[in-house]
Amino acid sequence: MVKKQTAGRDNLGEFAPKFAELNDDILFGQVWSREDKMSAHDRSLITISALISGGNFEQLSAHLNIGKENGITKEEISELITHLSFYVGWPKAWSAFNIAKKIFN
């Protein structure tokens, strides 16, 4: 079961309360909790892929940690980034590997 997220409220609650509410209650509360439709493991793989593809590395560490909690292994993340490198670019893969190494080692 996906654990309740409070990152939106913790980090942006006073500055952007509606965004924080949507992040915590809709994205993580309603979408991520639909494990009968797609496992948290698979949602993490997709989210990590999307973040790397878009070059959104600021959020990558948090989602790699969530992915690790959802059962993604070092071998899976290495294979995922290697595969993505040919589709999204070598520099993005290097950046992603540097972040993933800190979390999976």
Side-chain angles (χ1 to χ4, degrees), residues 23-42:
N23 182 82
D24 295 351
D25 299 343
I26 305 300
L27 176 58
F28 285 98
Q30 293 180 24
V31 176
W32 274 82
S33 66
R34 295 173 44 168
E35 293 186 74
D36 60 321
K37 308 289 184 203
M38 181 182 294
S39 71
H41 176 276
D42 291 350

Side-chain angles (χ1 to χ4, degrees), residues 3-105:
K3 74 176 187 177
K4 179 155 176 56
Q5 285 290 329
T6 61
R9 286 182 177 89
D10 294 347
N11 293 300
L12 293 173
E14 289 183 30
F15 187 78
K18 187 61 178 181
F19 183 85
E21 174 191 340
L22 293 169
N23 182 82
D24 295 351
D25 299 343
I26 305 300
L27 176 58
F28 285 98
Q30 293 180 24
V31 176
W32 274 82
S33 66
R34 295 173 44 168
E35 293 186 74
D36 60 321
K37 308 289 184 203
M38 181 182 294
S39 71
H41 176 276
D42 291 350
R43 285 184 196 276
S44 284
L45 287 173
I46 292 166
T47 301
I48 291 165
S49 296
L51 291 172
I52 294 169
S53 297
N56 300 309
F57 298 109
E58 185 176 342
Q59 292 80 28
L60 187 58
S61 292
H63 280 281
L64 286 168
N65 279 309
I66 292 168
K68 191 174 180 182
E69 290 173 14
N70 290 335
I72 294 176
T73 65
K74 177 180 169 183
E75 291 74 22
E76 285 177 304
I77 206 65
S78 177
E79 187 62 27
L80 176 91
I81 297 169
T82 299
H83 185 78
L84 282 174
S85 69
F86 290 94
Y87 293 93
V88 305
W90 214 253
K92 287 180 181 174
W94 269 104
S95 296
F97 272 124
N98 284 329
I99 296 167
K101 278 184 359 184
K102 294 174 186 171
I103 292 163
F104 285 88
N105 274 341

